[in-house]
Amino acid sequence: MAISEVPESVGTTMTTTTTTTASFQSDSDLNRSTLRRRPSLSSARGLSNSPLKPDGSEAESSAEDLIRESGSIDSFTVKSSKEDMDNKKVDAVNGVNDKTGNGGNREVPDISAVKFAYRPSFPAHRRVKESPLSSDNIFKQSHAGLFNLCIVVLVAVNSRLIIENLMKYGWLIKSGFWFSSKSLRDWPLFMCCISLIIFPLASYLVEKLAQNKFISEPVVVLLHIIITTTAIVCPVLVILRCDSAFLSGVTLMLFACIVWLKLVSYAHTNYDMRAIAQSIEKGEELPSTLNLEYTYNVSFKSLAYFIVAPTLCYQPSYPRTPSIRKGWVFRQLVKLIIFTGVMGFIIEQYINPIVQNSQHPLKGNLLYAIERVLKLSVPNLYVWLCSFYCLFHLWLNILAELLRFGDREFYQDWWNAKSVEEYWRMWNMPVHKWMLRHIYFPCLRNGVPKGVAALIAFLLSAVFHELCIAVPCRIFKLWAFIGIMFQVPLVLITNYLQNKFRNSMVGNMIFWFIFSILGQPMCVLLYYHDLMNRKGKLD
């Protein structure tokens, strides 16, 4: 028998040649499975003395690649047997009759090369590596397993708390949780909500008159101011005059604010498009960066779609999806019902008892107030996250799917915000885009400094937060207004810390603490006790 001793690297195959004598053929049949080429001295030396790169990283050996890719010698043997079967098939096609099964000159895997590859002299540490949880490497790793652990722990801990709460307080959700006869007294608010459709129609008539040049530009601006102001004042008067439930008042004020924002965008966008059209008629040169994708044309169809679309920024047309996924919509509706029920359960079973058994946070013992705020922070955080998921992910995506609305960036990864400024920029994209388009950039174009423009945007946001909470509560102590304006110094503080401690999550930790641990529970306690004090005085 003659075996070719051609030097080769580990992991390659060898070529064996059978002898022509019959006796050797029979011996080969008996020892065929164990016939393997051992690595030569030069190849073995090459395995144990693999060269290192100048930067400290190793030159990967083919033997290590075999071990890494195959996982074990057994899997490698299975792979080699499959290759032998494939070679037999090739021999049968070519008319080769080889009783030894080697098919003449045959390539067979070198298993002994794998067995002798990782020698004791083979270096185990060959480059600089960071631990997966080190500060330089932690955000480059996948933490899906830790996330699953957090979910399991969260379910286990809260399951125990739910059982403990039910054993201590019993079932606190009343039969009229979803609907009761008292809800019928809110019909004036319901009628006011339906009547809000009048204001978009009035804006459409004003724009149609302006397109036909029946009214001048100052008159158009004045009429839009009257329409938008009336759209926000009428719901406020209805809520204050009617003894309605808090939830009904909040719902009406949210719809009124949405209509106001849409009307402002509709009027402002048409004003700008009208100015561009007039400049084109006069033959004036326009900058090349100006968007001339849409022509000025007042269309009732575009306004109707804009009013129901999940956006606050008007444009004549929007990117559309090809079809409606009915099964997907049904699944999202089921999720919406489930998470709404979860929010109601947490509010009735946890938040209400905690709030009712607490004192006013500004009129009692400091340690007691801190204990109440911390106890309220966890269920309040759950409700806040569920409400965000229901509104910004489920409901807006359902509405977008039904309307085939294409741009569904309703939020970004605000949970990774490293400053308060990033949070406000990412958590509510419809409002953020509206603020940029109709407040921030118009201020900059008129020479207003960036800081003042951002302050104006926060001021407008604070006013609308106060309207949506103080009007339904009928309490005007400016808690919501102060809470939003307090974000301005927080923006400066977190930006400073983020610039000082780069590649850190200091700003993110401050954001979570202010919003979930301190800010929102404090606002809930303040408004609740002021509301209870107001009812006590009325009684």
Side-chain angles (χ1 to χ4, degrees), residues 52-99:
L52 297 179
K53 294 181 180 179
D55 58 356
S57 63
E58 76 278 9
E60 298 290 341
S61 65
S62 55
E64 190 175 0
D65 291 339
L66 271 179
I67 296 173
R68 185 186 298 112
E69 293 175 1
S70 62
S72 66
I73 298 178
D74 294 337
S75 62
F76 186 84
T77 307
V78 172
K79 182 178 179 181
S80 64
S81 63
K82 292 181 179 179
E83 292 179 354
D84 289 341
M85 294 178 63
D86 294 338
N87 290 331
K88 290 180 181 180
K89 293 179 181 179
V90 173
D91 292 339
V93 173
N94 295 331
V96 178
N97 185 11
D98 186 4
K99 295 182 180 180

Side-chain angles (χ1 to χ4, degrees), residues 127-375:
R127 62 179 171 183
V128 177
K129 296 181 181 179
E130 292 286 345
S131 298
L133 295 180
S134 62
S135 58
D136 295 334
N137 206 31
I138 185 170
F139 296 111
K140 299 178 182 179
Q141 305 290 328
S142 173
H143 303 292
L146 293 178
F147 178 77
N148 293 335
L149 174 63
C150 292
I151 296 297
V152 171
V153 172
L154 193 67
V155 172
V157 171
N158 286 277
S159 298
R160 184 193 65 82
L161 293 177
I162 291 173
I163 296 173
E164 181 181 348
N165 181 273
L166 292 175
M167 293 174 60
K168 184 176 182 181
Y169 298 104
W171 187 261
L172 299 179
I173 300 178
K174 302 177 181 178
S175 59
F177 173 72
W178 295 103
F179 180 81
S180 65
S181 59
K182 295 181 180 180
S183 302
L184 297 176
R185 69 184 181 183
D186 296 336
W187 68 268
L189 276 68
F190 178 72
M191 297 302 297
C192 180
C193 187
I194 295 178
S195 65
L196 290 176
I197 195 64
I198 297 174
F199 301 104
L201 295 176
S203 296
Y204 169 75
L205 292 177
V206 171
E207 287 298 325
K208 204 65 177 177
L209 292 174
Q211 183 185 19
N212 296 326
K213 299 181 180 180
F214 290 153
I215 53 179
S216 61
E217 197 64 42
V219 176
V220 174
V221 175
L222 178 62
L223 290 176
H224 278 303
I225 292 175
I226 294 174
I227 293 171
T228 53
T229 304
T230 308
I232 202 70
V233 171
C234 284
V236 172
L237 296 178
V238 171
I239 293 174
L240 294 178
R241 292 178 63 89
C242 300
D243 186 16
S244 59
F246 172 75
L247 184 60
S248 301
V250 170
T251 303
L252 177 58
M253 285 307 304
L254 285 176
F255 276 109
C257 292
I258 291 173
V259 170
W260 187 89
L261 294 172
K262 286 178 177 283
L263 292 179
V264 170
S265 179
Y266 181 72
H268 196 185
T269 303
N270 280 313
Y271 171 82
D272 189 53
M273 295 177 66
R274 191 163 50 248
I276 295 174
Q278 292 175 357
S279 299
I280 294 176
E281 290 177 359
K282 295 178 182 179
E284 298 178 359
E285 293 185 2
L286 299 176
S288 58
T289 57
L290 190 63
N291 183 16
L292 300 177
E293 181 179 354
Y294 305 115
T295 58
Y296 175 62
N297 182 27
V298 180
S299 171
F300 179 78
K301 182 179 179 180
S302 62
L303 173 62
Y305 184 86
F306 167 63
I307 292 300
V308 295
T311 180
L312 299 175
C313 296
Y314 172 74
Q315 59 192 57
S317 63
Y318 297 92
R320 306 288 294 275
T321 55
S323 61
I324 299 175
R325 299 170 293 177
K326 297 180 181 179
W328 184 88
V329 172
F330 176 77
R331 291 192 297 271
Q332 305 310 307
L333 285 173
V334 172
K335 292 180 183 178
L336 183 62
I337 295 174
I338 292 175
F339 278 93
T340 303
V342 170
M343 282 193 296
F345 175 80
I346 295 175
I347 292 172
E348 290 292 324
Q349 198 73 26
Y350 287 91
I351 294 181
N352 283 348
I354 294 174
V355 173
Q356 292 171 2
N357 296 328
S358 63
Q359 299 177 359
H360 197 286
L362 300 181
K363 297 180 181 179
N365 188 355
L366 178 60
L367 292 179
Y368 178 81
I370 294 175
E371 187 271 337
R372 290 287 95 181
V373 169
L374 293 177
K375 188 173 183 179

Side-chain angles (χ1 to χ4, degrees), residues 305 310 319-325 328-329 332 392-394 396-412 429-430 433:
Y305 184 86
R320 306 288 294 275
T321 55
S323 61
I324 299 175
R325 299 170 293 177
W328 184 88
V329 172
Q332 305 310 307
F392 287 94
H393 183 74
L394 295 177
L396 292 183
N397 273 288
I398 291 172
L399 188 60
E401 187 69 23
L402 294 176
L403 297 173
R404 294 171 47 215
F405 188 83
D407 186 4
R408 303 184 184 183
E409 190 187 33
F410 305 121
Y411 58 90
Q412 295 179 353
M429 293 306 294
K433 292 177 181 178

